[in-house]
Amino acid sequence: MDPKSTLSALRDFCAERLGPELAARYVDLARPGFALTEAEDPGEAAGLSRFGGRALLEPGTPWPACDGFPLSLIAVLDTDAMAPWLGDVLPASGAGLLNFFYLDAESEQCDPASYDLMLKHSHYDPEVSRVIPARFTHAVETEPPARSSVFEPIPWAAAPGFAFPDTWDPAWDGFDVGPDADDMARAMPGSYVEGLLTEWSERPGALDSEDIAFGWSQFPTGSSPMLPSGEDPNRYHHLLQLSGQDEWYIGGDGGWMHWSIPTEALRTGDFRRAIPTPDIW
């Protein structure tokens, strides 16, 4: 189905279980996104979307670095292939290819100097991450500099759907659960609504994946996006979630990697303002 039809079917599904008014408020939280899985053959790939490989940059684009140390290409999203489902999430002029870079201080490839840099800056510091766009018609595979990790490329298939905020996401703050709800429901509206939605896995547009493009980020630790200077998470939009790959992961015992961006910066295509918002345990 197309996004409009899928959203309408999702609203009907929720209305049967929540009633029309609560369902309408709940579906207003839905964001279009994609479940990312390894493409089994080239025809399944979402354009050039993939984990790892070489960066796809426009000629002359400087390789991103943290204190002079090169970051590593983690993933590429081909937003041209995703644009029909995302609607007005992307800038009107498009976003092309998005290259996601991060300071690799975790993989078997990482340079020992990266450890000290990560201790200095932390996993949440914008200096250890970059998101760099490139026009599809201009982008070329770019050789990484020395000390930058290169991971085996894994093309992604992208199944479209609609995501909802994590139970603990600040998006639930002030959510109206209706006059008949008790104090516990008002305190934990996400849990309350999800408890009423039986057969949730069968909903239209189900987005069920640990690796997600756009949509909403999920936080296994029951946390929420860690933003600089106490900024409001509701003013940010999720870009990419990675639960971990065979060659690369984040954090000490584990973690899920996220990148987010102010919504108004996403709409104007200013990806210089994208930041890392990982969930580490």
Side-chain angles (χ1 to χ4, degrees):
M1 288 194 291
D2 62 272
K4 184 176 180 180
S5 298
T6 303
L7 198 60
S8 177
L10 176 62
R11 187 175 290 107
D12 291 342
F13 175 94
C14 293
E16 291 176 2
R17 293 155 177 82
L18 302 176
E21 294 183 0
L22 182 55
R25 292 193 293 273
Y26 179 62
V27 174
D28 279 345
L29 295 175
R31 286 180 177 177
F34 295 84
L36 302 175
T37 56
E38 182 176 353
E40 295 184 0
D41 61 64
E44 290 185 351
L48 298 178
S49 300
R50 54 175 164 77
F51 168 79
R54 281 169 167 72
L56 297 169
L57 301 174
E58 296 187 24
T61 302
W63 192 275
C66 175
D67 292 356
F69 187 93
L71 303 183
S72 297
L73 188 280
I74 305 299
V76 175
L77 287 182
D78 187 342
T79 67
D80 290 346
M82 299 175 172
W85 187 263
L86 294 175
D88 63 0
V89 169
L90 298 174
S93 58
L97 301 168
L98 295 182
N99 295 266
F100 291 80
F101 293 89
Y102 200 68
L103 176 62
D104 176 27
E106 314 287 351
S107 79
E108 293 181 358
Q109 296 187 46
C110 73
D111 188 293
S114 64
Y115 298 134
D116 293 335
L117 268 179
M118 190 63 84
L119 288 173
K120 173 185 175 182
H121 288 280
S122 90
H123 291 84
Y124 306 95
D125 192 328
E127 291 299 313
V128 305
S129 173
R130 299 286 193 285
V131 176
I132 300 179
R135 291 168 292 179
F136 181 89
T137 54
H138 292 67
V140 294
E141 281 202 351
T142 305
E143 285 293 319
R147 302 198 294 174
S148 177
S149 302
V150 180
F151 303 107
E152 188 69 23
I154 301 174
W156 275 326
F162 285 92
F164 287 86
D166 189 86
T167 302
W168 304 101
D169 196 286
W172 290 105
D173 294 349
F175 183 84
D176 181 7
V177 291
D180 299 327
D182 58 22
D183 290 342
M184 181 62 73
R186 298 181 194 285
M188 302 181 65
S191 295
Y192 171 72
V193 173
E194 290 175 6
L196 296 175
L197 289 170
T198 57
E199 302 169 329
W200 182 232
S201 62
E202 299 177 12
R203 74 191 188 279
L207 197 61
D208 185 17
S209 178
E210 293 183 348
D211 298 331
I212 297 174
F214 298 97
W216 287 90
S217 52
Q218 301 296 308
F219 288 82
T221 59
S223 182
S224 61
M226 297 284 289
L227 301 178
S229 306
E231 293 185 65
D232 182 2
N234 291 312
R235 299 179 64 181
Y236 276 71
H237 202 97
H238 180 243
L239 292 175
L240 178 63
Q241 169 178 307
L242 295 179
S243 61
Q245 308 294 322
D246 290 341
E247 294 186 78
W248 182 79
Y249 64 95
I250 186 172
D253 294 329
W256 285 14
M257 184 61 202
H258 306 274
W259 285 268
S260 300
I261 188 172
T263 301
E264 48 91 10
L266 174 58
R267 297 274 169 77
T268 61
D270 186 4
F271 290 95
R272 296 171 299 178
R273 297 175 62 189
I275 60 172
T277 52
D279 189 29
I280 300 172
W281 55 86

